[in-house]
Amino acid sequence: MKISIIGVGLIGGSMALKLREKNIASFIYGIDNSQQHINEALDLKIIDAGADLEQGIKDSDLIILAIPVDAARKLLPNVLDLVSDQQTVMDAGSTKAGIVGAVKNHPKRSRFVAFHPMWGTENNGPKSAIAESFAGKAGVICNKEESAEDALNIVENIVNALEMHPIYMNAEDHDIHTAYISHISHITSYALANTVLEKEREEETIFQLASSGFSSTVRLAKSHPEMWVPIFKQNKENVLDVLNEHITQLRKFKSALEKENFEYLEELITNANRIRGILR
Amino acid sequence: MKISIIGVGLIGGSMALKLREKNIASFIYGIDNSQQHINEALDLKIIDAGADLEQGIKDSDLIILAIPVDAARKLLPNVLDLVSDQQTVMDAGSTKAGIVGAVKNHPKRSRFVAFHPMWGTENNGPKSAIAESFAGKAGVICNKEESAEDALNIVENIVNALEMHPIYMNAEDHDIHTAYISHISHITSYALANTVLEKEREEETIFQLASSGFSSTVRLAKSHPEMWVPIFKQNKENVLDVLNEHITQLRKFKSALEKENFEYLEELITNANRIRGILR
């Protein structure tokens, strides 16, 4: 099938590579505001040609939106305006209630399937794209009852080709879960980086001493604001809920230390260790 | 040389494997309260024989303490009581002011070299030991002027054999830096795990949705209290300083979100991105 990928970055690029490898994509158009990204994606054989929005959509069976969530929410109604009942549109955004709400009453709503692959890195741009990124991860499809059956089938085939396991939920539940399982990790990581940068003026010391534990905890702090500010904006209420709870949990550690209540400290840590049973 | 390793766990076991591989160790005694660890270490050829403390020390050129920092601090004076001026003792603990203070006036102080390899994982026990663990990481030696030159040389050779790069600092500075670069990461990770476990009752959902980003941020929350409570205890003041700063930094994110001040949010994230230049 012919595919247009709007936003040829980490996610769009990785999907393109895998869908080509699996012979799902016979031809891939790249649509991107950044000519540099188009050129890089051409060089890396991620896409076959650059295109403008109308031209790309017109000639594609499937259109994948892989741009920041605020831009996707704004653009999706225009994309749906341009598609026929033989075409399918999917997104790949990290928040779902906003985008689903934006097209709720759109006459072509049923051509759209709301999707979120549970994978990402702190890098961006087509050069970061990796075909095997998604394998073994969850591919969340939201509000499937609002999509036409044939459109849903196409996206399920894509999920399958990406070697992800599909999970179905409604957009509101998705946004609550991702606040816990993805969004808060980023805030913690950013705040941790800022803590260290604020207090630890000797950057050379950070660099020399940083252990693997520190690196893995602050890795996400390298993630770009262009992607993450819109996510926090769209998922504000849920993220604030989790952030408040997280600050409460940190205060328990603070209190245990201040009061030298090391039994309580041990209890807090033992409770946290339960994550071993859930994440292997 | 003959080496006694007190505490045949992740760190002690990994050192043993590497020192044998490099032909530094001709014979390794394992000294451990856990007979199971001794047996596992024998099976894995990490050690050549189990020994009790006196017997192992008597027959060793080098004694390595690799037990939790509270136990090490308590045991080190007894170990030094047993050594001659031809023997060397080193530790591998994550806090340094306490242990250095505990032997400050010991008549055999100069036989001891305070050491901290900047590596660890969330696992423990001899089965977690990996010979190549330390390569490329920092090996911190504290208060080297309090050690005899020959003892220091022996430990520097060990650091070299572990393929670490040596860094020298005083114990107080070490404890400040590690509060930032290692200890706070663990508290954040524990608190994050507790946040998710508190709010996200659907453990199956965590398991299914958890992305690579979440896993890397909570990985450290699997670390055991037996190791970490003593570290937080010994480095209480520094850890509290950093924890207070970290809560302040998190509150900035909270405030930016509550006030919908997305420019400020972007600023906070852009500042955190500076960690890119420091950690590659």
Side-chain angles (χ1 to χ4, degrees), chain A residues 76-91:
Chain A
L76 179 60
N78 307 337
V79 171
L80 287 181
D81 287 345
L82 295 168
V83 300
S84 74
D85 282 339
Q86 274 69 52
Q87 292 171 291
T88 298
V89 182
M90 68 192 289
D91 79 324

Side-chain angles (χ1 to χ4, degrees), chain B residues 226-269:
Chain B
E226 300 77 44
M227 173 170 174
W228 282 94
V229 170
I231 291 173
F232 297 139
K233 198 169 171 177
Q234 289 201 15
N235 207 15
K236 192 192 103 174
E237 296 302 332
N238 292 321
V239 170
L240 270 175
D241 267 4
V242 186
L243 182 51
N244 282 325
E245 176 65 29
H246 185 50
I247 292 174
T248 303
Q249 292 293 342
L250 280 170
R251 283 233 193 81
K252 291 182 185 177
F253 280 86
K254 176 172 143 88
S255 156
L257 275 173
E258 279 173 346
K259 294 178 183 152
E260 306 200 340
N261 186 345
F262 297 114
E263 272 177 42
Y264 182 41
L265 187 61
E266 186 175 341
E267 214 175 276
L268 292 171
I269 293 178

